[in-house]
Amino acid sequence: MTQKNIWNISVKELMEKYQVTEQGLTTARAEELRLEKGENILQESRRKSIPEVFISQFADLLVVILIIAAAISMFSGNTESTIVILLVLVINAILGTLQHVKAQRSLDSLRQLSSPGAKVIRDGVKREIPSKDIVPGDIVILEAGDMIVADGRILHSYSLQVNESSLTGESANVEKTDAIIEGDVALADRANMVYSGSLVTYGRAEMLVTATGMETELGKIAGLMNAAKERKTPLQESLDKFSSRLAILILIICAVVFCLCIYRRMTLLDSMMFAVALAVAAIPEALSSIVTIVQAFGTQKMAKENAIIKNLKAVESLGCVSVICSDKTGTLTQNKMTVQQIYIEDRLYEPDQLDLLNQTHRYLLYDAVLNNDSSIVDDKGIGDPTEYALLEMFRRIEADTSSILKEANMHEDILRQNMQRLEEVPFDSDRKLMSTKYMLHGVPTILTKGAVDVLLDRCDYVRCSDGIRPMTEAEKDKIRMQNQLFSENGLRVLSFAYKESEENLDIHAEYGYTFLGLISMVDPPREESAAAVAASKRAGIRPVMITGDHKVTAVAIARRIGIYEEGDLALTGAELDAMSDSELEEQIAQISVYARVSPENKIRIVEAWQRRGNIVSMTGDGVNDAPALKKADIGVAMGITGTEVSKDAADMILSDDNFATIIKAVANGRNVYRNIKNAILFLLSGNTAGILAVLYTSLMGLPVPFTPVHLLFINLLTDSLPALAIGMEPADDDLLKEKPRNPREGILTRGFMITMITQGLLIAAASMTAYHIGLTVSSAMASTMAFATLTLARLFHGFNCRGSESIFRLGLTSNRYSLYAFTAGVSLLALVIFIPGLHSVFSVADLPMTALGQIVGLAFMPTVLIQIMKIIRHR
Ligand code: ATP
């Protein structure tokens, strides 16, 4: 039988073919297969190799012109300047390559962090493993929200529906079956097969893996999953646009300077070299790459702090977030559920007080243990924490009364192994119910659990110690009262009901139940939630709780962690549905808690905030949350409890599911933006100084202050390190004291331009003062002094650009990279000035001690003035 016909054979034949039993593969066999078949990964399209990246650094118009200039100067006998130009270009290309590789690595590690996992059965036990370890023959459990990570044949399907749009282009969900499909049908018609890259949108299934890695259908469609093309972020795009506009302006200036040089009878080659070097010195080619590098470092830091950025754009938007809509369970709370009290027949019980010989108690336990997909392996819960809390509760009883349980055939293992599940309708957060059908004591029985307000209305009977009787409204009111009491204490409440019935189980059968009881559980708030909520309020960000839980429970928790304050409103999904869009928009600022919401409600909430001009972050974990995550400016998925579907739709994944991590990510996002802005200020103000100095001497008819080599030296070597160091400035507490940034405001505001030009003017003035002092001796001395002063002043200026505050408040040592960059820059300058052998190469004259003192003093002046201005402004 060929692989092509896997859908034609029976499950039994299939299991034989893959030599696997219902217990799954053994660990040893799986390891063997992994060595034989390789990892379950898709090979990426070929990347540029390091030499290719290095060569691509020369594919810049200005660099090409410089290379031509170097060649011309070699032919005209000026070998020294040829060597210097080439040397500087090579060093620059090495730096560029290193930066590219580093940025690429950090993006790769991020991509790895967000790759999906899978649930397999191995050695008879269900466990979660990284998807790369899946091998042909593995039995994989598929649940709503999972991403399918290999091709396989369905062994058992429980209403499984998948979205195969990544393969077939068909966006509607397709139903899958475990029956044999006859014939050689097309991929879309193989209803008993699922394919890598599809998403489980509904139901549950077990599948046997038939192909992994490049053998999968997805792997065969070459290029489809090839490394996602790196797209530029809006900031990079706007900077690119700015750079190219600026480049045109600078080229015009260069043309003017070129003409002036010719007019002054410089040789054509010298004039050209000068104009080109001026262009290199003035055009900020590094802007866009500074953004890439600072963002790459920022995202790496965020990943260390548990926020995995999937979309670089999110780093920019994080700084503008003004509303954070967060789930309650697991994000604001610990998601460590523990059963508290149980309410049956108007009485409260502790778990160990349940009487196993009492039929009502017994059915409640059947419902809690069998109507449950979680499991506990090595004391670790797998699945939904609400569900394994029920198993833990059962284990507590089991430990106390093990012998009675055995007698009553109520041991967990006996129950779960012996009772065969006939049908099921999985839990979904819209219905807020879960139902399964079992054969109990020879009678087909539907067991259902879910939210009290949903299930109680579907109950017509109640089970008591003396049998089953119709339920009165008064009894329902009592149960509602009890639910209210539990909820006011912040407890999560599940209700349990059943019915004996022959009918097929689907959502239309979830009526006419017999009520069994309520189980309450605690899920304490995370310790850091209250502080994170307070921090977000200080940072001008509105935290909002959105939960599927009961309103009273939600408000109790929201009040405890500070999201809900007196005077705020709490709304249920039903109340939200009754509101018009304009009513919602009007009231939204007062609403801090939404309870019993459906995933569709989330979209309306995001849109209403967005219409009010806010940048909204929304968390989500379920399969139906994907549209809301996409709609939000920053969709945030949960790394631990989140479905693969939600992770796929999100811009950021929290690897610890923690609300506090979002706030940390916001601080980091603000920091990245601030650092980029400061690095740009540093580069542009330094370039402005160079341009102003050259323009000044050109217009005054003075000798050219810098040789091309000087300008290349400054711009390509000494400038790049301080700019990077500014990009590494650590985040500080003050970042969360400011209001969110206006998303419509670019970096290059009027204020920014004024600062840039002022600082550029100060540095140019210092350099020109040094130039005039040198000019009293010779033009060579003037040029050397101007060059040294400009370089040193720009190196000092690196400290000014670290933040808006003075260096005394920032602390000189708080960013050690800026100290390294300064030291490296000064050392390079010292080499050029003090090593006589380099004098002719770099066209510098010998400097007497007084001149050195003057250079240091003048270079330091702009920094002193800028620091004084900062101190005055902050006062
Ligand atoms: P959040 O949206 O903050 O994560 P949540 O986890 O409470 O909150 P849902 O998971 O949508 O939201 O749960 C909504 C309600 O459905 C719960 O209050 C509970 O009554 C019920 N419920 C939750 N989990 C299950 C389950 N596994 N089986 C049956 N009912 C459940």
Side-chain angles (χ1 to χ4, degrees):
M1 182 78 50
T2 57
Q3 159 138 353
K4 180 168 134 260
N5 290 326
I6 270 172
W7 54 93
N8 298 144
I9 56 180
S10 71
V11 164
K12 190 163 162 286
E13 282 172 286
L14 185 76
M15 305 280 274
E16 276 164 15
K17 178 175 155 73
Y18 282 89
Q19 298 171 10
V20 60
T21 64
E22 295 273 343
Q23 304 284 305
L25 297 172
T26 61
T27 308
R29 176 79 186 128
E31 186 52 28
E32 262 172 45
L33 283 165
R34 202 175 63 87
L35 292 176
E36 187 186 318
K37 303 277 179 186
E39 290 191 326
N40 177 34
I41 44 174
L42 294 177
Q43 272 140 27
E44 291 186 346
S45 63
R46 213 180 71 79
R47 285 245 177 98
K48 268 192 200 162
S49 64
I50 293 181
E52 281 169 324
V53 174
F54 178 77
I55 289 167
S56 70
Q57 304 291 316
F58 295 92
D60 180 290
L61 182 64
L62 289 171
V63 175
V64 172
I65 296 178
L66 276 173
I67 294 172
I68 297 171
I72 298 175
S73 54
M74 194 173 76
F75 288 120
S76 60
N78 192 352
T79 335
E80 280 164 354
S81 77
T82 310
I83 294 172
V84 175
I85 295 174
L86 292 182
L87 197 71
V88 169
L89 288 181
V90 168
I91 296 177
N92 186 53
I94 292 174
L95 286 179
T97 309
L98 287 179
Q99 289 169 358
H100 179 96
V101 171
K102 185 96 186 119
Q104 191 68 51
R105 289 225 175 107
S106 80
L107 287 180
D108 281 350
S109 64
L110 283 181
R111 207 171 296 145
Q112 231 167 30
L113 283 175
S114 56
S115 78
K119 292 170 278 251
V120 294
I121 296 183
R122 285 207 185 151
D123 305 308
V125 183
K126 177 171 163 186
R127 55 184 93 210
E128 274 192 57
I129 61 170
S131 62
K132 68 176 173 43
D133 293 339
I134 298 283
V135 291
D138 258 326
I139 296 182
V140 174
I141 315 270
L142 301 175
E143 282 166 359
D146 287 351
M147 168 97 71
I148 299 175
V149 295
D151 291 359
R153 164 81 186 269
I154 310 272
L155 301 177
H156 304 286
S157 166
Y158 307 95
S159 324
L160 184 74
Q161 288 183 18
V162 303
N163 185 307
E164 296 182 333
S165 58
S166 65
L167 269 179
T168 59
E170 168 61 57
S171 61
N173 296 335
V174 266
E175 265 186 52
K176 293 286 173 180
T177 167
D178 42 26
I180 294 176
I181 301 291
E182 300 289 352
D184 199 4
V185 291
L187 188 138
D189 297 323
R190 296 171 204 162
N192 60 10
M193 298 285 296
V194 285
Y195 294 98
S196 182
S198 315
L199 298 166
V200 181
T201 50
Y202 190 78
R204 211 168 66 86
E206 281 156 28
M207 78 155 180
L208 187 127
V209 175
T210 54
T212 56
M214 294 307 282
E215 298 285 305
T216 60
E217 294 298 326
L218 189 63
K220 287 184 202 156
I221 309 175
L224 189 70
M225 277 287 281
N226 285 344
K229 210 160 167 52
E230 286 146 43
R231 262 178 299 147
K232 295 206 167 180
T233 66
L235 179 58
Q236 279 172 317
E237 271 168 14
S238 84
L239 286 175
D240 279 350
K241 228 183 274 166
F242 170 77
S243 296
S244 50
R245 256 182 285 153
L246 193 64
I248 294 172
L249 180 73
I250 292 168
L251 288 178
I252 295 172
I253 296 179
C254 289
V256 172
V257 169
F258 176 77
C259 296
L260 281 173
C261 288
I262 297 281
Y263 177 72
R264 299 248 162 73
R265 296 173 190 282
M266 268 166 76
T267 66
L268 188 65
L269 177 68
D270 284 351
S271 308
M272 193 187 96
M273 287 279 284
F274 190 74
V276 171
L278 181 62
V280 173
I283 294 177
E285 322 87 332
L287 283 193
S288 174
S289 66
I290 280 285
V291 176
T292 313
I293 294 156
V294 176
Q295 280 181 341
F297 279 113
T299 49
Q300 231 171 5
K301 176 151 186 286
M302 288 187 209
K304 278 195 198 116
E305 295 179 356
N306 296 320
I308 299 161
I309 297 289
K310 277 188 57 205
N311 179 352
L312 270 188
K313 214 176 85 192
V315 183
E316 282 159 30
S317 327
L318 268 172
C320 312
V321 165
S322 50
V323 178
I324 300 181
C325 300
S326 171
D327 279 340
K328 170 179 73 68
T329 311
T331 315
L332 290 161
T333 67
Q334 300 179 8
N335 213 6
K336 284 201 190 109
M337 311 267 179
T338 316
V339 170
Q340 297 293 97
Q341 288 184 310
I342 299 148
Y343 174 84
I344 305 172
E345 263 191 89
D346 212 10
R347 238 199 88 181
L348 289 174
Y349 296 86
E350 297 298 319
D352 52 9
Q353 291 173 331
L354 290 183
D355 174 6
L356 293 157
L357 301 175
N358 174 311
Q359 287 295 318
T360 312
H361 294 201
R362 203 169 154 142
Y363 269 78
L364 181 79
L365 288 173
Y366 282 147
D367 202 346
V369 176
L370 295 174
N371 184 22
N372 184 323
D373 286 327
S374 70
S375 53
I376 300 177
V377 180
D378 302 334
D379 283 335
K380 212 179 131 253
I382 297 185
D384 179 355
T386 305
E387 297 201 337
Y388 57 76
L390 296 173
L391 284 191
E392 271 163 2
M393 168 197 83
F394 186 66
R395 288 198 168 187
R396 264 156 69 192
I397 313 171
E398 224 182 307
D400 287 347
T401 52
S402 189
S403 54
I404 309 176
L405 282 168
K406 275 218 172 83
E407 230 169 78
N409 257 353
M410 282 287 291
H411 205 275
E412 178 189 332
D413 297 338
I414 300 177
L415 267 184
R416 289 199 132 187
Q417 275 165 25
N418 294 358
M419 307 281 192
Q420 209 208 332
R421 194 180 277 189
L422 304 173
E423 283 177 280
E424 66 183 50
V425 191
F427 173 74
D428 84 64
S429 39
D430 272 327
R431 251 168 62 251
K432 298 179 175 47
L433 293 178
M434 166 170 175
S435 302
T436 47
K437 189 167 157 192
Y438 280 86
M439 191 65 81
L440 288 186
H441 307 296
V443 185
T445 308
I446 294 175
L447 301 169
T448 296
K449 70 181 193 308
V452 184
D453 30 346
V454 181
L455 190 52
L456 200 58
D457 290 339
R458 299 165 185 238
C459 291
D460 299 334
Y461 307 92
V462 57
R463 175 147 199 155
C464 327
S465 34
D466 50 359
I468 297 173
R469 57 178 161 71
M471 204 174 191
T472 62
E473 259 322 296
E475 268 167 331
K476 285 194 180 177
D477 282 344
K478 252 191 199 163
I479 295 167
R480 287 192 188 104
M481 266 300 292
Q482 186 55 50
N483 182 32
Q484 176 82 7
L485 285 177
F486 280 145
S487 304
E488 277 167 6
N489 286 319
L491 297 177
R492 180 182 181 84
V493 193
L494 280 190
S495 56
F496 295 78
Y498 80 107
K499 71 172 173 182
E500 294 179 345
S501 166
E502 297 276 357
E503 69 194 305
N504 282 345
L505 175 56
D506 58 24
I507 51 170
H508 307 293
E510 289 177 310
Y511 289 93
Y513 284 117
T514 301
F515 181 80
L516 288 165
L518 305 178
I519 295 184
S520 68
M521 29 187 115
V522 272
D523 176 20
R526 287 176 181 268
E527 273 168 28
E528 54 281 57
S529 288
V533 165
S536 77
K537 287 189 170 174
R538 266 199 307 280
I541 302 169
R542 176 69 187 270
V544 176
M545 178 191 277
I546 300 190
T547 177
D549 216 338
H550 194 273
K551 180 157 137 183
V552 180
T553 311
V555 169
I557 303 273
R559 185 175 274 142
R560 230 177 274 167
I561 55 183
I563 286 189
Y564 183 93
E565 290 176 21
E566 260 355 286
D568 282 356
L569 294 177
L571 230 63
T572 62
E575 286 163 340
L576 184 64
D577 287 336
M579 272 175 143
S580 70
D581 281 347
S582 59
E583 278 170 331
L584 176 63
E585 204 178 316
E586 224 168 80
Q587 293 194 27
I588 199 151
Q590 274 85 51
I591 309 170
S592 52
V593 174
Y594 297 86
R596 288 284 189 246
V597 289
S598 64
E600 294 81 73
N601 292 149
K602 286 187 168 184
I603 301 178
R604 277 191 76 201
I605 298 168
V606 172
E607 285 175 341
W609 276 112
Q610 283 174 334
R611 277 200 299 277
R612 290 175 60 121
N614 288 281
I615 297 293
V616 186
S617 159
M618 166 71 78
T619 70
D621 47 14
V623 54
N624 301 339
D625 285 334
L629 294 185
K630 287 214 175 113
K631 182 80 214 163
D633 300 281
I634 300 194
V636 181
M638 301 298 135
I640 306 170
T641 53
T643 55
E644 294 303 335
V645 174
S646 62
K647 290 181 199 169
D648 194 53
D651 303 300
M652 178 164 98
I653 300 174
L654 305 180
S655 55
D656 59 354
D657 289 11
N658 192 341
F659 176 80
T661 302
I662 309 179
I663 305 299
K664 271 194 237 158
V666 167
N668 277 319
R670 289 184 178 189
N671 191 40
V672 166
Y673 194 84
R674 181 192 66 177
N675 291 352
I676 289 175
K677 188 169 169 174
N678 289 340
I680 293 174
L681 176 66
F682 171 76
L683 290 173
L684 291 186
S685 55
N687 287 1
T688 307
I691 300 173
L692 289 176
V694 172
L695 275 181
Y696 166 80
T697 51
S698 300
L699 294 174
M700 300 294 285
L702 296 166
V704 192
F706 311 112
T707 64
V709 168
H710 292 159
L711 292 175
L712 292 177
F713 178 86
I714 296 176
N715 211 51
L716 298 182
L717 295 186
T718 48
D719 244 17
S720 54
L721 293 175
L724 274 182
I726 292 167
M728 313 276 255
E729 187 73 18
D732 54 59
D733 296 341
D734 287 352
L735 281 167
L736 285 181
K737 287 187 188 142
E738 294 154 20
K739 297 276 160 268
R741 173 167 57 83
N742 178 353
R744 275 182 290 279
E745 184 184 287
I747 283 194
L748 308 156
T749 56
R750 234 176 81 114
F752 180 92
M753 293 296 200
I754 292 173
T755 312
M756 179 191 92
I757 292 172
T758 314
Q759 297 182 346
L761 260 175
L762 287 174
I763 297 172
S767 312
M768 286 304 94
T769 310
Y771 173 84
H772 278 292
I773 294 172
L775 206 55
T776 58
V777 182
S778 67
S779 63
M781 184 70 151
S783 163
T784 307
M785 285 188 70
F787 158 64
T789 309
L790 181 63
T791 312
L792 194 58
R794 284 172 77 163
L795 288 171
F796 280 127
H797 189 44
F799 294 106
N800 298 328
C801 294
R802 279 181 46 200
S804 61
E805 304 211 20
S806 75
I807 196 73
F808 304 106
R809 294 201 61 177
L810 291 174
L812 194 59
T813 52
S814 58
N815 177 353
R816 58 202 157 89
Y817 300 105
S818 73
L819 290 175
Y820 299 155
F822 180 76
T823 314
V826 170
S827 309
L828 281 170
L829 181 63
L831 283 181
V832 169
I833 288 179
F834 294 121
I835 296 186
L838 291 178
H839 282 187
S840 64
V841 182
F842 283 92
S843 318
V844 297
D846 271 334
L847 288 176
M849 274 314 277
T850 44
L852 281 175
Q854 284 159 340
I855 288 169
V856 175
L858 281 168
F860 198 46
M861 274 319 280
T863 296
V864 171
L865 291 174
I866 292 168
Q867 290 293 328
I868 290 174
M869 285 195 284
K870 284 180 189 250
I871 293 170
I872 293 172
R873 200 173 326 123
H874 274 274
R875 288 258 162 90

